[in-house]
Amino acid sequence: MKLPPLTIFKKKPKTEAKQEKPTPEESSSPQTLAKGMVNVRDIIAPSAIEVDFNHIKIGNTYYRTLFVSGYPRFVGANWLSPVINFDHSLDIGMFYYPVKSKGVLDDLRKKMTELEATVLSNNQKGRLQDPAVIAALEDAKALQDQLVKGIEKFFQFSFYITIPAESLDELEHITTKLESTLGSLLLISKTATLQMEEAFQSTIPSAMDKLVVTRNMDTTSLATTFPFTSSNLTSDDGILYGINRHNGSLVIFDRFSLENANTVVFAKSGSGKSYLVKLEALRTMIFGAEIMIIDVEEEYRPLCDIVGGDYISFSSNSPSKINPFDLSGIAVEGENELGQKLLSLHTLFKLMLGELSPTEEAILDRALIETYRIKGITTDPVTQKTKEPPVMEDLYKVLLGAEEPEAKGMAERLEKYIKGSLAGVFDAQSTINIGSKMTVFSTKNLEDVLRPVAFFIILDFIWTRIRKDLKKRILIVEEAWNLLQREDSARFIYGIAKRARKYYLGLTTISQDVDDFLSSEYGKAIVTNSSIQILLKQHPAAIDKVAETFYLSEGEKRLLLAADKGEGLFFAGANHVSIKVVASDAEHKLITTNPAEILKLREEGLITSKPPAAKPAYTPVERFEPDKYKTMDTQGNVRPEFAAQMRPAQPTPMPQQPAAPQPSAAPTPIQAQQPPKPQIQQIPQAAAQPQQQQAGPAIPPQPPQQARPVAPPSPPAKAPATFTPQAASDEYKEPSAEDILKSVKEMSSQMSAGLGQKPTATQGPPPPPPLQPSVVGQPLTFADRMQTRPQQTPALPVSQPVSQPAPGTPKPAETPSQSMNFASRWIGLNNPQQPQQGSQPRPTQQPAQQTTPQPQQMPQTQSPQTQTPPSAPPQQPQSGQGQGNVFSLDSSQQGDVSSLK
Ligand SMILES: Nc1ncnc2c1ncn2[C@@H]1O[C@H](COP(=O)(O)OP(=O)(O)O)[C@@H](O)[C@H]1O
Ligand SMILES: [Mg+2]
């Protein structure tokens, strides 16, 4: 409805009124009739308007109008939102007057001349310059510059607010409130005293500014006054993310409703990233989504336990294993499973082995194909489904067997994952499955160096599994920058982000290291492939990078710098809102990581006092038998034993029986090391592994300590605190004769006590006979160690752990990292001589006496449960070489594996 200038307010001059008012008789036109009829204005107009000094009263409602006379020097986007969203209804009038640049430029020039004259005269009189004048001059120059170039235009702006109220008291109250709100925005407001009528008219929708209290503004400043920037993100479906800080509405959103369901979360540490993500996971689960999480801090455990999820913790002695060679289930129509697996394995081995030269890549490719072929797996899909996949060690053997020197080098680099410090995690058949509502993969107990590899393997595993059956899933990757440090893994996670949509997967990547994340091209690509981006509190050092990536305004930057826990910006598609994440009390208890709160909850018994010591019986993994390296028989065919089925076990005496006579057989200096061997029989494989090569001879005084206690979950890869002093040192210490004697005596007493029982790590092995004094009296020399090695090592591989070492094993374990040091030292000693036949030089030094006990030892040390290849033990003593080197190959094998080339 178009309102004419409201004449009801006009106090017309009396004379005028007299003239205009025709008597009914005078007016004979049809309008006379119309004037006498009731029209819309008569209906809507109030009966009276009382105009007071500082308010007007229309009907029963009081109105007061304020005008804004002063503005802050700097404003951010949406700076008027507190006024727009004021919790009392207000009538707001804003007027924008474009001003011709020409006139402004003339004025500016005049102003600048004045200012410059001031500066000049100050200079001439030798006075100090007034900084305000200098600043004004600079501002004027900048403005002139922008106006001339057409970058900015010039406007005037006026701003009026009318407050309606039911009573005068209320009016006063609201006026005070509004004035303080405006004051907080650095706006100076004044009541339009004695101009109430004009002021009121300026805020009714008649588009007439009757007050004309204006302020100069350029385009940029003017743009920030746009009032309708508070957007709502309230959908009918979805979950509650938090509260919209602009206007208190709820942010309800379904991430699966967008073109992809990926989310990135960036914020500094402690700002509530995990909290938000956990809350989202918890709420999304209610709608039937499956949640998978890669947890680096074990902080998802309480949540996982409460919702009945699977918490899978990786460490060298945990029962959870992932075999990266696993093929089962990749069968996607039309895809070559093996080919895809090989591609991802290439990436994995680049992560594990470091940079690969083109030759090495080619060798790796052939070796991978060969590794699968040996297990009977080819491009034929049937074999991929029915045959057992190879494990890491199979590849290792194949590499060792290859003739290229590069292959040996790669095998050495791979070694630490199979029997070194990093052994025991990813070198066995998979034992885990996903399918529970929430599956958490914890990498907390893994070595830092292993983490990127672990991330990759876990992601690959998840990716493989989720493609099998379509389900709504969310995959949460904490500390995702771990993956972006290396190009190969970065490409992989980017690939997941890109393809996740097809598999109904929403990928959530969380990163506190924004710089790392965004400086990677793949990181940036992940951001652009994520429909939801959540920014919480940022570090000042990172804010510029974030602002540049997300196109943040100054105001938004400030918001992120000053944000409290759980506050930030939520970008969803085209919308974005300022959000505050809120959880209910019950939810908060599940997801908080505040130590004080957790303690309190534990006291109240609401959460378990400690994460359950989830180290069930550790099932040692069969691994590292020397015969395994013989992949081919002499005719060049794959040995049947080599396939998945077990090899016949050697009929051997029980482990506890044989050891006693054995050491007496050869009372040489080497005997000093014999006692450890029976002991090693009970060592779980992870521990036995490194020892086979060097530990036996190298650390004679510690044999009883080598029984690794497997029960405690924590001491895995690096736990130097658990070593005994001598075990902790990775330097070899020449054992003193007393040491040797002491340990041997200790063992024999243990063994005599436990004889006839099933041996355990604590009970120790059968008693060795007392050592000859002459032996004890002579400390081992370096040459001795060299000699003893070949003799002992072959015996060890077959010493499969049968029994569980008692959890309370008093002697601390030798840690994997320690073992690796031994391993590397050992390699360093031997490899330069003959990489393929590491032990070849040694037999020449080997005294005859040492070879003699060998055949006796072999059967003794084999436990009946182990699958010792029938051929291996006899062969090794015969050949007289390669015994010390568990992975040495005889000449025929080398010929065989050359088929790789
Ligand atoms: N929205 C929130 N409301 C209440 N407390 C929160 C909120 N967000 C985080 N916190 C608390 O702040 C702390 C740090 O949160 P967290 O999610 O672990 O941070 P980040 O993962 O970013 O390092 C925790 O103690 C958590 O309980
Ligand atoms: Mg966190």
Side-chain angles (χ1 to χ4, degrees):
M1 183 182 73
K2 187 174 174 254
L3 287 177
L6 289 180
T7 46
I8 40 172
F9 299 109
K10 224 175 222 169
K11 295 174 187 119
K12 290 169 194 154
K14 279 175 187 165
T15 48
E16 226 178 63
K18 268 183 188 163
Q19 283 169 3
E20 280 178 9
K21 229 174 198 170
T23 58
E25 300 92 63
E26 281 173 318
S27 54
S28 54
S29 68
Q31 281 177 357
T32 317
L33 194 62
K35 276 183 186 160
M37 290 171 72
V38 179
N39 61 22
V40 177
R41 259 184 284 166
D42 292 331
I43 296 168
I44 65 166
S47 61
I49 292 177
E50 280 179 55
V51 180
D52 213 322
F53 289 116
N54 57 9
H55 68 265
I56 59 175
K57 186 179 176 205
I58 303 174
N60 289 327
T61 312
Y62 296 84
Y63 296 90
R64 175 173 294 157
T65 304
L66 310 181
F67 63 87
V68 176
S69 60
Y71 292 82
R73 189 160 161 71
F74 292 105
V75 287
N78 201 26
W79 58 286
L80 283 177
S81 72
V83 181
I84 308 291
N85 298 313
F86 193 73
D87 66 353
H88 184 90
S89 73
L90 300 173
D91 299 332
I92 296 176
M94 288 172 167
F95 295 87
Y96 302 86
Y97 301 95
V99 179
K100 281 222 168 83
S101 293
K102 173 87 177 61
V104 180
L105 281 172
D106 291 344
D107 290 351
L108 262 181
R109 208 175 307 125
K110 267 185 229 145
K111 184 82 193 162
M112 281 165 64
T113 317
E114 270 172 38
L115 290 169
E116 268 165 0
T118 316
V119 172
L120 201 66
S121 84
N122 282 347
N123 270 348
Q124 283 168 353
K125 292 177 186 159
R127 283 195 210 134
L128 279 180
Q129 294 293 356
D130 179 0
V133 174
I134 306 280
L137 189 58
E138 276 170 12
D139 281 359
K141 274 185 184 155
L143 184 59
Q144 187 190 42
D145 201 38
Q146 291 188 316
L147 290 176
V148 168
K149 287 181 188 158
I151 298 171
E152 296 277 354
K153 285 204 168 137
F154 207 79
F155 293 88
Q156 289 190 323
F157 171 65
S158 55
F159 185 30
Y160 315 115
I161 306 165
T162 295
I163 308 161
E166 295 303 312
S167 66
L168 268 180
D169 282 351
E170 193 191 359
L171 188 64
E172 293 302 334
H173 175 68
I174 296 166
T175 309
T176 320
K177 249 174 89 177
L178 180 64
E179 278 176 338
S180 72
T181 303
L182 293 171
S184 73
L185 296 170
L186 303 180
L187 294 173
I188 301 167
S189 59
K190 297 205 168 111
T191 307
T193 313
L194 288 172
Q195 283 187 295
M196 270 304 141
E197 199 185 316
E198 290 81 5
F200 179 77
Q201 289 181 52
S202 301
T203 56
I204 58 175
S206 63
M208 281 191 307
D209 183 0
K210 302 226 163 171
L211 278 181
V212 200
V213 184
T214 57
R215 149 92 196 219
N216 296 335
M217 281 200 186
D218 59 9
T219 320
T220 312
S221 320
L222 201 72
T224 62
T225 63
F226 184 71
F228 307 111
T229 45
S230 89
S231 65
N232 273 359
L233 246 180
T234 311
S235 345
D236 292 341
D237 299 319
I239 59 150
L240 174 68
Y241 280 86
I243 291 176
N244 187 335
R245 286 168 77 213
H246 283 144
N247 54 16
S249 63
L250 300 180
V251 179
I252 297 175
F253 200 72
D254 177 12
R255 63 192 278 179
F256 288 94
S257 68
L258 294 168
E259 65 265 35
N260 66 58
N262 300 335
T263 303
V264 287
V265 184
F266 292 121
K268 65 189 265 191
S269 165
S271 54
K273 298 183 296 294
S274 309
Y275 192 93
L276 160 72
V277 163
K278 280 186 240 178
L279 199 58
E280 188 201 16
L282 197 58
R283 291 171 178 172
T284 318
M285 268 176 72
I286 298 170
F287 292 96
E290 209 178 277
I291 314 288
M292 287 160 299
I293 303 163
I294 301 186
D295 179 12
V296 282
E297 287 300 336
E298 218 169 81
E299 60 176 310
Y300 287 80
R301 190 189 276 278
L303 179 64
C304 180
D305 288 347
I306 298 236
V307 302
D310 288 339
Y311 197 88
I312 300 168
S313 181
F314 289 99
S315 67
S316 52
N317 53 3
S318 110
S320 315
K321 307 281 175 205
I322 289 182
N323 180 10
F325 290 84
D326 219 349
L327 266 174
S328 51
I330 310 187
V332 176
E333 272 306 299
E335 280 183 7
N336 176 1
E337 294 104 300
L338 191 59
Q340 292 228 339
K341 189 79 225 181
L342 290 179
L343 281 182
S344 93
L345 284 173
H346 264 283
T347 311
L348 172 65
F349 285 108
K350 275 190 222 159
L351 280 182
M352 292 169 75
L353 307 177
E355 284 306 306
L356 295 181
S357 69
T359 325
E360 286 173 329
E361 282 204 37
I363 293 172
L364 177 64
D365 198 49
R366 280 182 304 213
L368 285 172
I369 294 172
E370 176 69 7
T371 309
Y372 276 105
R373 196 184 66 79
I374 286 172
K375 287 283 183 179
I377 298 174
T378 62
T379 43
D380 175 9
V382 178
T383 62
Q384 295 167 9
K385 277 183 201 145
T386 52
K387 305 275 182 185
E388 190 194 46
V391 292
M392 195 86 81
E393 193 190 329
D394 296 322
L395 173 74
Y396 174 65
K397 315 185 284 206
V398 171
L399 283 174
L400 272 180
E403 267 175 7
E404 295 94 334
E406 289 95 342
K408 298 287 176 297
M410 285 158 77
E412 272 163 27
R413 274 141 81 194
L414 193 59
E415 191 176 79
K416 65 173 181 248
Y417 296 97
I418 296 160
K419 49 193 179 135
S421 62
L422 308 177
V425 190
F426 300 119
D427 50 348
Q429 295 294 357
S430 302
T431 58
I432 61 169
N433 212 338
I434 49 177
S436 134
K437 267 186 163 289
M438 179 179 279
T439 316
V440 185
F441 299 86
S442 165
T443 61
K444 190 189 178 200
N445 295 327
L446 287 180
E447 289 231 38
D448 279 352
V449 279
L450 204 52
R451 204 158 280 158
V453 177
F455 266 60
F456 181 83
I457 292 178
I458 293 170
L459 275 181
D460 185 49
F461 175 79
I462 293 175
W463 188 233
T464 305
R465 296 288 160 109
I466 60 174
R467 286 187 290 162
K468 222 164 80 178
D469 58 330
L470 208 55
K471 233 188 215 176
K472 190 168 170 184
R473 290 187 175 98
I474 289 181
L475 169 60
I476 297 167
V477 185
E478 279 268 2
E479 306 300 355
W481 55 267
N482 264 319
L483 279 163
L484 292 171
Q485 287 173 322
R486 296 285 301 273
E487 201 194 322
D488 305 298
S489 53
R491 190 182 309 121
F492 182 75
I493 182 100
Y494 166 63
I496 293 186
K498 222 172 52 176
R499 299 165 69 198
R501 190 186 52 85
K502 274 206 280 185
Y503 301 101
Y504 212 178
L505 173 75
L507 172 72
T508 302
T509 33
I510 305 173
S511 192
Q512 56 172 300
D513 209 326
V514 188
D515 223 23
D516 265 16
F517 200 98
L518 295 178
S519 36
S520 151
E521 280 307 309
Y522 289 106
K524 277 190 213 145
I526 291 172
V527 172
T528 48
N529 269 283
S530 299
S531 296
I532 299 182
Q533 295 134 5
I534 300 171
L535 303 175
L536 305 178
K537 188 180 177 79
Q538 298 293 326
H539 196 276
I543 189 74
D544 286 333
K545 188 112 192 172
V546 175
E548 188 192 316
T549 310
F550 294 92
Y551 304 106
L552 300 184
S553 69
E554 284 299 317
E556 287 168 330
K557 269 161 87 172
R558 237 170 300 132
L559 186 151
L560 290 182
L561 285 174
D564 208 348
K565 275 178 194 164
E567 291 179 356
L569 291 175
F570 184 97
F571 296 73
N575 301 306
H576 78 258
V577 294
S578 162
I579 192 177
K580 161 111 188 119
V581 177
V582 281
S584 70
D585 257 9
E587 286 169 326
H588 181 79
K589 284 175 184 159
L590 295 184
I591 59 181
T592 183
T593 46
N594 184 339
E597 286 171 2
I598 289 179
L599 271 184
K600 198 157 154 261
L601 292 174
R602 278 188 194 157
E603 276 161 21
E604 291 168 11
L606 286 174
I607 55 175
T608 40
S609 61
K610 253 216 126 193
K615 281 296 154 348
Y618 166 51
T619 355
V621 191
E622 184 209 346
R623 89 155 83 96
F624 224 75
E625 297 171 27
D627 64 290
K628 275 199 169 186
Y629 299 114
K630 295 177 189 132
T631 55
M632 312 265 182
D633 61 20
T634 40
Q635 275 84 50
N637 302 319
V638 178
R639 286 169 49 213
E641 309 94 319
F642 193 75
Q645 68 268 44
M646 300 300 189
R647 274 145 288 190
Q650 282 268 328
T652 52
M654 287 299 285
Q656 60 264 58
Q657 293 156 359
Q662 170 204 338
S664 59
T668 60
I670 299 98
Q671 285 302 314
Q673 284 86 51
Q674 296 296 1
K677 279 204 265 173
Q679 185 83 7
I680 287 161
Q681 287 177 346
Q682 290 111 36
I683 298 171
Q685 282 196 328
Q689 194 54 58
Q691 291 163 357
Q692 317 173 348
Q693 301 189 21
Q694 67 287 353
I699 39 172
Q702 304 144 16
Q705 293 158 3
Q706 289 165 3
R708 172 199 289 251
V710 283
S714 45
K718 42 170 183 183
T722 59
F723 302 175
T724 53
Q726 69 264 50
S729 143
D730 46 78
E731 286 303 317
Y732 170 72
K733 285 203 199 94
E734 204 66 52
S736 74
E738 285 80 6
D739 284 341
I740 298 172
L741 185 59
K742 201 161 145 246
S743 65
V744 168
K745 275 185 179 161
E746 215 174 274
M747 283 179 64
S748 42
S749 65
Q750 280 174 4
M751 282 186 287
S752 49
L755 201 63
Q757 301 169 15
K758 205 171 181 199
T760 66
T762 35
Q763 283 169 341
L771 287 176
Q772 305 279 336
S774 60
V775 173
V776 173
Q778 293 165 7
L780 282 179
T781 63
F782 179 76
D784 290 333
R785 293 199 303 275
M786 292 294 288
Q787 287 164 2
T788 50
R789 205 175 286 116
Q791 180 191 7
Q792 293 212 335
T793 37
L796 293 169
V798 291
S799 62
Q800 298 300 323
V802 188
S803 55
Q804 278 295 314
T809 309
K811 308 279 169 104
E814 178 190 359
T815 64
S817 65
Q818 187 192 12
S819 318
M820 185 186 68
N821 288 321
F822 287 124
S824 44
R825 187 171 62 232
W826 186 83
I827 289 164
L829 287 173
N830 295 296
N831 279 344
Q833 301 166 358
Q834 261 288 2
Q836 304 106 303
Q837 306 169 1
S839 59
Q840 259 191 349
R842 267 177 277 136
T844 56
Q845 304 169 2
Q846 206 168 330
Q849 59 193 13
Q850 288 167 12
T851 44
T852 35
Q854 195 67 35
Q856 295 169 352
Q857 287 176 7
M858 289 313 298
Q860 287 161 358
T861 47
Q862 284 163 355
S863 74
Q865 285 90 338
T866 51
Q867 308 89 37
T868 312
S871 53
Q875 274 181 6
Q876 284 167 345
Q878 281 160 17
S879 66
Q881 55 179 333
Q883 297 172 17
N885 189 342
V886 265
F887 46 72
S888 73
L889 295 161
D890 60 27
S891 53
S892 65
Q893 288 166 328
Q894 287 164 23
D896 293 338
V897 196
S898 65
S899 62
L900 265 178
K901 286 178 267 174

